[in-house]
Amino acid sequence: MSANPIERLDMTAEQVEQQITEARRSELCAVLRASQIRHASLGNEQEVVADGDAIYLLHHPELCSTDDDYPGFAEQLAARSAKAGGTR
């Protein structure tokens, strides 16, 4: 159970574009590429793929989903979280 559920990190494509400048994007990609190399050396293919997906989304924030893509989903998550006592 996480005290910081992933839903708290969700944001719209517009918010992503506003918060991540090209310089910051490059820094983040460098960190993710280093992580990919480390995971590849450990044979952790799932993390290599996850890092690659993150890099791709940094360059294509328009692909991030919005509340309009899943009507009512945010409310369902909030209700589920409240029912579970605020933890996931």
Side-chain angles (χ1 to χ4, degrees):
M1 297 294 175
S2 171
N4 263 328
I6 193 71
E7 300 88 52
R8 291 184 54 198
L9 302 177
D10 287 349
M11 60 180 65
T12 66
E14 293 80 18
Q15 290 170 315
V16 172
E17 289 173 328
Q18 290 171 1
Q19 293 184 6
I20 301 177
T21 64
E22 188 58 43
R24 183 68 178 138
R25 187 177 293 133
S26 294
E27 292 172 12
L28 290 169
C29 285
V31 168
L32 287 165
R33 284 187 186 102
S35 177
Q36 270 188 314
I37 292 168
R38 181 173 49 85
H39 286 124
S41 72
L42 296 171
N44 191 341
E45 186 62 28
Q46 289 177 334
E47 290 300 322
V48 172
V49 171
D51 290 337
D53 289 346
I55 291 168
Y56 188 80
L57 289 173
L58 281 171
H59 289 288
H60 301 281
E62 72 278 4
L63 297 177
C64 296
S65 64
T66 68
D67 288 341
D68 292 338
D69 296 323
Y70 302 98
F73 187 68
E75 292 80 8
Q76 290 176 14
L77 288 176
R80 192 179 321 154
S81 180
K83 186 177 179 180
T87 61
R88 190 160 189 227

